[in-house]
Amino acid sequence: HGARSRYRAGPAAAPDPRVLAQQAIALMRLRAINIGIVPEPRAGSVGIIGMPTWMWAQNPSQSTWGPVTKSASAGGSTVTATAKVDQVVWAMGDGSTVACAGSGTAYQDSFGKQSSPTCGYLYTRQGTYAVRATSYWTVQWAGVGQSGTIPLNFTQTTNITMGEAQVLTQ
């Protein structure tokens, strides 16, 4: 009998909208881009120094590029969040970085020796390079009378090999 009064608290406090925003972000399953790069990051594939390297987001999806919108609710309150990639910063493995605003242009053989019109690089020394692509996201959220932005980033790494032209002609 007396136990019931213990639960007669006032109305539940409104949930923290930032917590709901994080729950909405979790539903998005955001992750790093799938790296598209030429020379290809596979055994036996060697790029030639002085030939342009092309970088792009391979098959960009909602979870790797956005925009993606999700909502989370608790106690009658809802927060809606929208996430999208602002830029990808490519650490080229030789100390240089390249920031690319768009998802890049996928290389096709018909492009030949052209440089990428959107996201490329030129190596000057042979070697194997660990290329890291970090996608920088902005998540905008609103609800429960508040709004804000949450920056996120995700990194994917691959290895490419650059050699000299005469090495390839033997």
Side-chain angles (χ1 to χ4, degrees), residues 35-56 90-94 96 98 120-133 156-163:
I35 291 178
I37 192 164
V38 165
E40 294 173 13
R42 58 177 169 77
S45 174
V46 178
I48 300 171
I49 293 170
M51 292 278 287
T53 296
W54 290 50
M55 301 93 74
W56 66 93
W90 297 80
M92 302 308 299
D94 62 356
S96 297
V98 179
Y121 186 68
L122 208 57
Y123 283 97
T124 56
R125 301 205 331 266
Q126 63 182 6
T128 298
Y129 298 97
V131 178
R132 283 194 339 269
Q156 180 75 349
T157 304
T158 193
N159 292 300
I160 62 168
T161 301
M162 301 302 294

Side-chain angles (χ1 to χ4, degrees), residues 106-129:
Y107 182 80
Q108 296 172 17
D109 288 341
S110 61
F111 296 154
K113 298 176 183 178
Q114 295 178 61
S115 294
S116 169
T118 51
C119 189
Y121 186 68
L122 208 57
Y123 283 97
T124 56
R125 301 205 331 266
Q126 63 182 6
T128 298
Y129 298 97

Side-chain angles (χ1 to χ4, degrees), residues 7-90:
Y7 298 107
R8 280 199 203 123
D16 181 343
R18 283 177 198 78
V19 172
L20 291 177
Q22 292 288 354
Q23 290 173 3
I25 290 168
L27 296 172
M28 296 176 188
R29 301 184 189 279
L30 304 180
R31 56 188 175 83
I33 64 165
N34 297 312
I35 291 178
I37 192 164
V38 165
E40 294 173 13
R42 58 177 169 77
S45 174
V46 178
I48 300 171
I49 293 170
M51 292 278 287
T53 296
W54 290 50
M55 301 93 74
W56 66 93
Q58 184 77 42
N59 303 320
S61 65
Q62 280 194 331
S63 60
T64 62
W65 194 261
V68 56
T69 300
K70 295 285 183 188
S71 297
S73 302
S77 300
T78 299
V79 167
T80 300
T82 300
K84 65 179 180 46
V85 171
D86 294 318
Q87 68 171 351
V88 176
V89 176
W90 297 80

Side-chain angles (χ1 to χ4, degrees), residues 1-8:
H1 308 328
R4 214 177 271 146
S5 63
R6 205 180 304 156
Y7 298 107
R8 280 199 203 123

